[in-house]
Amino acid sequence: MIDLRENYLSKHTIRSWLLTIDHKRIGLLYLFTILIFFLIAAVAAGLMRLELLTPQGDLLLPETYNKMFTIHGVLMVWFFLIPSIPTVLGNFVLPLVLGARDVAFPKLNLLSWYLFILGGSFALYGVFAGGVDTGWTFYTPLSTTYANGHVMTMAAGVFIAGFSSILTGLNFIVTTHKMRAPGLTWMRLPLFVWALYATSLIMVLATPVLAITLLLMTVERFWGVGIFNPALGGDPLLFQHLFWFYSHPAVYIMILPGMGVVSELITCFSRKKVFGYSFIAFSSMAIAVLGFVVWGHHMFSTGQSAYAGMVFSFLSFLVSVPSAIKVFNWTATLYKGEITFSTPMLYALGFIGLFTLGGLTGLFLATLAADIHLTDTYFVVAHFHYVMVGGMVLAFMGGLHYWWPKITGRLYPEKAGQLAAMITFVGFNLTFFPQFLLGYLGMPRRYHAYPEEFQIFNVLSTAGASILAVGYLLPVVYLLWSLKNGQRAGENPWAATGLEWTTPSPPPEHNFDQTPVVTRPPYDYAYQSTFHPREVEQTLENV
Amino acid sequence: MRFQVFPDAASTTAVQVDWLLAFLSLVTLFFLGIIFVPMGVFLYRYRRGNPVDRTPLNISTWKIEVFWTTVPLVLTFVIFGWGAGLYVHMKTPPEDAQEIYVVGKQWMWRLQHPEGKREINALHVPVGRTVKLMITSEDVIHSFFIPVFRVKQDAVPGRYTMEWFKATKAGTYHLFCSEYCGTQHSGMIGWVTVMEPKDYQDWLNSGSPQETQIAAGERLFHQLGCSGCHAENSKVRAPSLVGLYGKPVPLEGGTIVTADERYLHDSIVMPAKQIVFGYENLMPSFEGQLNEEQLFQLVQYLKHLGREQPPEYRRQGEGAAQFIVPHEAP
């Protein structure tokens, strides 16, 4: 009854994992690695939320609290969110959906992972050898002159991990250009590929700026060359310009792949051709391009000129439009669909809800006069968590559940999955919605102790965080359980379109026995017609 | 536990910002409505197994796409315009503003009123008078945030930044540092006390009389020997400083800068940075000899030099501080 063919998981030696150049195995190496970072960063967040339960700074010392949010930020941004979907799901899925045997440069792909491990080791050393208390933004002159701890170790970690990003981006770009199956034209590409392509462009073009910035920081710190420190004739705001020139596009590295995943999920579970394919595809590219010219909206209150403020505000409004286009098109895709509420779909719907609110509150912050009051308060914290966690993490979870049968050959338990998705959604909102109100009330971010009148919302937020933790832990339990006990998935448990579903689960090491040929447009569910999700697994059981 | 959703609004700007925020909230609700109401309907109606008509519509979708691209675009232009207009207003202090000097350092705020009165982690202002804060930092970047006034401005080392407000409601309000500045960031807080003009005047006159900022600046100007070179009849050729503030200054190399506070400040601590056209770089740097407060006093004195009339705020009727400034040009 079981497909006994060899697959990519057949070899079991440690050597076969550490020296693998199989994109699927590298994807799993990344999955395992980023989950460790996620865990550490989540524990840091948990400690912060516990500290904030009471107004007094009574649980952690101020230094410890500051180190916690720095660890949380650095690890979550560079060692979880940025690599999450591209390196795990992207690595696993991209060659499969292109009908390719592997990525264009398999060895380079493995090198990316080793660079990531090296960078991650530096960061972890920085965390455990004493910690860093600059915040993930490393603002000068605090980071170069005044901060204690292992700033340079942490920066070195981020610097090295950046090269991992660049190599992955490069690999994906070349793979998309050169490795597509016959007949798989650009306009037949799954939208996830478009999103990964746009993401890769940002990775390749923006990350070097971060590397340069960190290098300049090093030069100033070790050799006292005045670049950012005004006492040496430097300009502290120059650092912010350079930092956000990378870090704002990086926000799109963190959300575009999520949008790509959601496009796949919405179409699959409403069994409908996506509405406005080219608009969704090109809006990804528009976001990637416009994302490079909005960095100054992080600096409205720094004293940059009013004219600069106006230009950056205007461009920030422009970049909101392609995101809106995506949301409208996803909604329209549901129209006349045949909708099932499987776990991936619940995550996708959750994504749309939270990302939409995250995006709309972004309008508040792009509005110059409103930003002055809201910036550097909890409003900003809530806003970017709605986008980063509500968006990217939910999309990652949705994608992970969607491709889990392909990755492992097993189905996860559906009821448990749906329950976890709903717990996550509720817990998330309870954690972060009160923070919008806290921000409007004026509670600054990165505060270890705070005035009493802010307590009620902080209590709600901490309560929400504990629910959110359950929502995160539950999938770990049942996904691990499913590795041994889940039902066999078969080739295509969701009856989805896309080349990855035409090969066995788990796929053989070489992916396809014969190079597939594509003759239909993407998401042609009308053509595929009456092939329903869960019936496939039953067929398999009966074999 | 106190439960509060809306913060107090205690300045003229705060009310304007609140209107803008209310509009933004309406826009948010509008979009949430037009996205999630149809989505809810579709999810229910087109759930699998529900026998409804699913024949595809035969319409040209590009018209729909253009429609829902244009509507948000136009709406964002409106928001942009409103926000930018108010921002420019917030960046343009009225002429009659009273300047209060603010310097942030790890981890406290020090302030000085023009009359010489000093405060730490506290700011006293009268109701109904425009107050302009001239802000800088001695170490890292801080941010001077008064939630009830809806104003916030980073304190950046090496430059002066500005925020202004006109308080409308007496009371005691929070003052926060909102830019993360190291270990005791959350302890860098204080109180803003908004007082009736008469109470403010009493507060200002309480305690021992202080040297005004301009008087202190003039004293420093002579003590440090600035007057030796910059006086009109000096033997050393140095640019005259009378009436310099706000004027364009031609520099060696052809650029022209405006003599603002930062230019005056930097010319004292980094004289070689910008050499006035036609002059030699003779001036020694005063870096390290003066703290930021003294530098600001000098800057205030230089701004005062050559002003035909006393500063505007002294003519503002009741509540105006009574102080005497010796003002002969050196």
Side-chain angles (χ1 to χ4, degrees), chain A residues 66-87:
Chain A
N66 297 345
K67 284 173 185 170
M68 286 303 139
F69 69 66
T70 306
I71 289 167
H72 177 73
V74 170
L75 294 190
M76 281 297 191
V77 169
W78 281 295
F79 296 96
F80 177 74
L81 286 168
I82 287 179
S84 62
I85 290 184
T87 64

Side-chain angles (χ1 to χ4, degrees), chain A residues 452-464:
Chain A
E452 262 179 33
E453 63 257 41
F454 299 141
Q455 189 178 8
I456 180 111
F457 292 119
N458 276 293
V459 170
L460 288 177
S461 186
T462 302

Side-chain angles (χ1 to χ4, degrees), chain A residues 419-435:
Chain A
L419 182 68
M422 285 187 281
I423 291 176
T424 305
F425 185 80
V426 171
F428 175 85
N429 279 301
L430 188 55
T431 310
F432 291 105
F433 193 82
Q435 297 185 2

